[in-house]
Amino acid sequence: MDGDVIVVGGGLAGLVAAHELVQAGKRVALVDQENPANLGGQAFWSFGGLFLVNSPEQRKLGVRDSVDLAWRDWRGSAGWDRLDGPLAEDDWAVRWGRAYVEFAAGEKRAWLKQHGISLTPMVGWAERGGGQAFGHGNSVPRFHVAWGTGTGVSEPFADRARTAAKDGRLTFHHRRRVDRLLVEGGRVTGVAGAILASDDAPRGAPSNRNRIGDFTLRAGAVVLASGGIGGDHEKVRRFWPERLGSPPKSMITGVPAYVDGRMLDIAGEAGARLVNRDRMWHYVEGVQNWDPIWPKHAIRILPGPSPLWLDALGRRLPSPGLPGHDTMATLRHLRTTPDLAEHDHSWFIVSQKILEKEFALSGSEQNLDITERKLLKVLMARLGKGAPPAVDAFKHKGADFVFADDLETLVARMNGLTERPLLDPALVRRQVEDRDAQMDNPYAKDFQAMSIHNSRRHLGDRLARTATPHRLLDPKAGPLIGVRLHVLTRKSLGGLQTDLSSQVLKADGTPFEGLYAAGEAAGFGGGGLHGYNALEGTFLGGCIFSGRAAGRALAGRV
C-alpha cells in the first residue's frame, strides 16, 4: 500500500481532503500531473470570493440575511428539474445544495478562521438576478472576499500539505498523470498512469506531456479532485447545451490549460456515474489578457451595475442582461438571438468615472493590494481617486479597450476592433442619450437605473463598487471607454454524482466502493449542487465543503 488514501489533484478540494485525512492520522498519497509550483490549482488564481450567510461582515454593513432567504435564492437559481425516476440526476444535488447553504450560514466562517483564512470587510453583491422575487439571484450581498484573494484560501492548505510531507504523513507524486483507475472485485484500489518528464514551467503555464515511464499506486480508497473541463474548448463545445444556442467559434480561457476534464472520462469508463454535464458556467465579460500566463489566458471584468451593455450590433441588452445580474441569461441571449449567432463578442460603454469605481478584475494577480494584504493600498485603490493600477493597465494596454473624448470617435475606434464595422453611431448615440435621460434624479422607469439606485443603498457598494449616477456624455466624467467582451470559459457545474459523504455512485446508482470525488469534478457536490446557476462565491466554498466531506468520511472508513 502506497498510502491509506490516494488524492488525485492538488487543487483546493484535494488539499482540504488531504488535510482532513492527515489530521485523522491517515497516510495520504497526493498525485498531480503538474509540478510543485502548481499546488493550490485554480483556487490560487481566483479573486477569493466566499459565499456566507448572515455573517458579521454583512450585519456591520446593514445587510439582513438568513438561511431561509439564502435557501430560497439557491433553489430559485438552481432550478433543479431532473428529479424523476430512480436515477434522477438532481437527486443528490438538491441535498448537497441544502447542506451547503446550512454550512454557509453556520460553521463555515468559524471553520475558515480556524484554518487561517480571514475576510476583508468587503461584501459584494454578485449575481443580483433577473428581477423576480423567486428566481435566480442573490437577494442581498453575500460575496465575501478573503484577505490574500485566492492565495489566502489555497495557501493555508498548501502549507499544511507541505508540512505533512516533511513529517512523512503525506507523499507528493508530482508529474504523475493518472490514465486509469484500478478496480478489483468492484472496488477502486488505486491508480495507474504515466510518469511525465520534469518541467519547471511557472505556475499556470503549460507543461510538457512527454512520457518517460509508468507508475502504479495502491491504497484503501481514491479521491478524485481533478477539476472540470474549462481549459479544453473542444470539450466545452461537445457538452454545450442546446438551450444556450450555438457555442462561440472563438472563446478565451479563465483557467489554466491543465483543466482538461480527463479524469471525468476515465472515471466514467471505470463505471462511475456522470450527470449534468451540459450544465456549465462561463462568463460573458471576458477580456484578453495583455500579459498572459497560459494560452488564451483571459480576465473577467467584475462589473458594477452602471456600464451600458450593447450586443455586437450595437443594441442595448434587455433585462436581465445587465452587468452583475444574470450571467447565464445574458449568455443565452447573446448565443440564441438569431442575428447574433455569428458574432462572439459584446460591448461595454462606460465613463472614466465608472471605470474607476466599478471595474474590478478577477484573479489574485490582478488584485495585488488584497493579495499582499496591504490595507493602505486597498484603501487607496478602492476608495481613492483614479482607477486601480491593474484596471488602468488594461485600459491602456488591453487589446479590447479603446477610449475617446466624444462618442462618435469612440464608436469608430470600437468598430476598428472588429473585422468589419458593425456599430451604427446614430443608434449608439440614441441609446446612450436614452440611458442618460434616466440619470437626472432618483426616480426612473429604466430597470438598470433602478438597479444602480438600489445598489447604492448598500454601504459597501456605495463606498467602493457603484459610481454616483451620472450621464455618460457628461464631459466631467470622461473620457468615454469602450470594452469588447468575449465569452470566457470557467466552470463545469455537473460531474461525478456523489452522496453526502462524497462517495461516487456507479452507473446503477449504488455506491462505488473505494471511490470518492470532490470539488469541480463532482459538480462541487452531488454532481451539481448549483443546478443551472451559481450565486458566486460558491466555487471555492464548494471545493472546501466537498473536500472536507470526503476526508472526514474516509477518515472513518479506511
Side-chain angles (χ1 to χ4, degrees):
M1 298 282 280
D2 298 288
D4 295 312
V5 177
I6 296 167
V7 176
V8 180
L12 180 60
L15 291 174
V16 172
H19 165 69
E20 292 288 339
L21 287 160
V22 167
Q23 289 294 103
K26 306 301 179 183
R27 292 184 305 116
V28 176
L30 196 152
V31 182
D32 197 289
Q33 67 182 355
E34 300 305 319
N35 65 27
N38 286 277
L39 201 61
Q42 297 177 61
F44 181 93
W45 297 105
S46 74
F47 189 46
L50 293 162
F51 177 93
L52 291 165
V53 177
N54 193 26
S55 69
E57 289 76 18
Q58 287 174 295
R59 294 194 295 271
K60 285 177 183 177
L61 293 171
V63 176
R64 288 177 288 184
D65 200 4
S66 69
V67 66
D68 290 336
L69 181 61
W71 179 233
R72 282 181 178 274
D73 288 348
W74 195 286
R75 281 184 297 143
S77 296
W80 293 298
D81 56 5
R82 297 167 182 173
L83 297 165
D84 297 329
L87 293 175
E89 293 190 48
D90 283 334
D91 181 25
W92 285 101
V94 175
R95 300 183 224 186
W96 270 94
R98 177 66 191 187
Y100 181 69
V101 170
E102 291 177 352
F103 175 61
E107 65 174 307
K108 180 179 180 180
R109 186 178 182 278
W111 190 88
L112 293 171
K113 183 177 180 181
Q114 176 189 346
H115 289 83
I117 299 169
S118 57
L119 304 174
T120 71
M122 300 163 57
V123 183
W125 197 352
E127 286 296 299
R128 306 177 189 209
Q132 297 177 325
F134 185 84
H136 175 52
N138 285 294
S139 297
V140 298
R142 297 188 175 110
F143 189 87
H144 298 65
V145 179
W147 276 116
T149 60
T151 72
V153 180
S154 66
E155 281 300 289
F157 295 102
D159 287 342
R160 286 177 170 83
R162 296 182 188 107
T163 299
K166 290 178 182 177
D167 295 342
R169 296 172 293 164
L170 181 148
T171 304
F172 286 115
H173 297 272
H174 289 292
R175 301 298 290 160
R176 300 297 189 271
R177 185 188 69 203
V178 175
D179 294 328
R180 62 188 178 95
L181 299 177
L182 304 180
V183 183
E184 300 173 6
R187 180 184 184 88
V188 174
T189 59
V191 298
I195 302 172
L196 303 178
S198 296
D199 196 314
D200 60 359
R203 180 188 289 272
S207 61
N208 75 68
R209 291 294 179 262
N210 300 330
R211 185 180 195 136
I212 60 172
D214 300 304
F215 78 96
T216 299
L217 295 172
R218 295 185 181 276
V222 173
V223 178
L224 300 181
S226 49
I229 67 173
D232 186 334
H233 289 190
E234 290 312 306
K235 214 166 258 183
V236 169
R237 291 187 178 93
R238 192 204 319 169
F239 293 107
W240 190 275
E242 186 177 344
R243 67 180 177 276
L244 293 180
S246 59
K249 296 183 291 294
S250 174
M251 296 181 284
I252 51 182
T253 313
V255 296
Y258 57 72
V259 185
D260 56 15
R262 288 183 69 256
M263 282 308 307
L264 295 175
D265 294 328
I266 291 168
E269 290 168 3
R273 186 161 193 246
L274 290 156
V275 297
N276 299 316
R277 299 197 73 179
D278 63 322
R279 293 181 186 166
M280 48 188 69
W281 190 255
H282 306 306
Y283 293 113
V284 283
E285 312 101 328
V287 291
Q288 300 170 85
N289 194 343
W290 62 271
D291 188 20
I293 296 169
W294 53 79
K296 294 191 175 182
H297 179 195
I299 298 297
R300 182 205 174 196
I301 295 173
L302 287 74
S306 303
L308 181 67
W309 204 338
L310 306 178
D311 65 27
L313 301 179
R315 302 168 304 202
R316 190 177 182 187
L317 268 58
S319 176
L322 301 174
H325 277 74
D326 193 329
T327 294
M328 283 296 103
T330 307
L331 178 60
R332 184 169 58 249
H333 172 79
L334 293 174
R335 299 311 311 159
T336 60
T337 302
D339 58 359
L340 294 178
E342 64 177 294
H343 306 295
D344 296 338
H345 68 280
S346 60
W347 295 97
F348 277 166
I349 293 181
V350 298
S351 65
Q352 178 69 22
K353 186 174 181 179
I354 292 172
L355 179 94
E356 292 177 359
K357 190 85 164 184
E358 299 194 11
F359 270 29
L361 301 172
S362 64
S364 54
E365 82 283 10
Q366 302 297 330
N367 297 276
L368 292 179
D369 53 343
I370 305 175
T371 300
E372 296 172 352
R373 309 183 189 215
K374 295 183 177 178
L375 180 59
L376 181 59
K377 278 191 175 182
V378 172
L379 294 175
M380 292 175 62
R382 313 284 161 166
L383 302 180
K385 293 183 178 181
V391 173
D392 192 61
F394 266 86
K395 175 189 168 184
H396 289 95
K397 300 178 182 180
D400 296 309
F401 287 70
V402 293
F403 51 93
D405 290 326
D406 65 273
L407 187 58
E408 280 66 32
T409 302
L410 181 76
V411 173
R413 290 175 179 171
M414 291 164 69
N415 275 329
L417 295 184
T418 55
E419 290 184 2
R420 65 183 192 276
L422 300 173
L423 304 176
D424 176 0
L427 173 62
V428 174
R429 173 167 284 280
R430 184 165 67 249
Q431 292 173 111
V432 169
E433 291 177 346
D434 286 343
R435 180 257 187 212
D436 280 5
Q438 295 286 303
M439 294 297 155
D440 284 343
N441 60 64
Y443 304 102
K445 66 178 180 180
D446 182 271
F447 185 83
Q448 185 176 12
M450 290 189 283
S451 177
I452 293 168
H453 293 305
N454 196 34
S455 178
R456 287 182 59 80
R457 295 177 65 191
H458 170 45
L459 179 61
D461 274 7
R462 186 166 70 250
L463 290 175
R465 289 289 285 142
T466 307
T468 304
H470 64 277
R471 293 173 178 254
L472 289 173
L473 297 181
D474 181 353
K476 296 178 182 177
L480 290 165
I481 301 156
V483 187
R484 180 177 54 177
L485 306 172
H486 310 262
V487 175
L488 177 150
T489 62
R490 184 79 89 184
K491 297 296 181 187
S492 311
L493 298 187
L496 292 161
Q497 192 172 42
T498 57
D499 64 19
L500 286 175
S501 68
S502 288
Q503 185 167 10
V504 175
L505 304 182
K506 295 192 290 189
D508 63 3
T510 60
F512 200 152
E513 294 300 322
L515 187 61
Y516 292 71
E520 193 173 354
F524 302 93
L529 68 76
H530 294 95
Y532 288 96
N533 292 286
L535 286 175
E536 292 290 14
T538 56
F539 298 128
L540 296 181
C543 289
I544 288 170
F545 190 53
S546 57
R548 191 180 84 143
R552 291 186 173 188
L554 280 169
R557 296 180 185 180
V558 296

